[in-house]
Amino acid sequence: MLKINAVNKCKEVIQNSIDRYKVRVQELGDSLADNDASNDAEDDDGSGELMADFERYNNLKDEHEKLKRAFENISYGSGKTVVTEGALVTTDSNMFLISVSLGELITDEGDKFYAISSNAPIYEAMKNLTASDSFTFNGMTRKIFKSIKLKIHHLNLSLKHLSYNLRMV
């Protein structure tokens, strides 16, 4: 259950970011349209700054949509117990969901974990290890307690098959 909660928290964080950026892009687009409609040639209305903000938030939205696609393409279920992409890894100091880089997150149930990508240096240190194996990262030796990739019989947890509840903004 913990792994499903961690995956759901990542989905929520990514989608909330996309929604927030969509709203901001829409607001900035509306402001730009209002400025264009009421602009007189000698007015310095700050539309250059608005346009820069519009582009920045639009780029952030696009980056998070790519992040969402990358997250959806990871298989979170296979029954394997080695540290691979899609695994929830518990060490003697932290818990890691090997997925996309989102940093420290807390599930709705209060469990803290780190969503890291397969490009993270700590992932490279623990890649393909199993429970009871140890690895050294930043001069500290850590022990893996467990690595979970859910074994799913009737449910494919691969997120590319799940749909997000998208709000039209």
Side-chain angles (χ1 to χ4, degrees), residues 51-64:
M51 181 55 89
D53 284 348
F54 177 85
E55 289 174 3
R56 182 168 58 100
Y57 281 99
N58 200 42
N59 287 339
L60 286 168
K61 177 187 66 71
D62 291 346
E63 287 173 20
H64 279 77

Side-chain angles (χ1 to χ4, degrees), residues 4 45 87 93 102 136-137 165:
I4 292 171
D45 58 6
S93 59
L102 295 172
T136 301
F137 180 71
N165 293 323

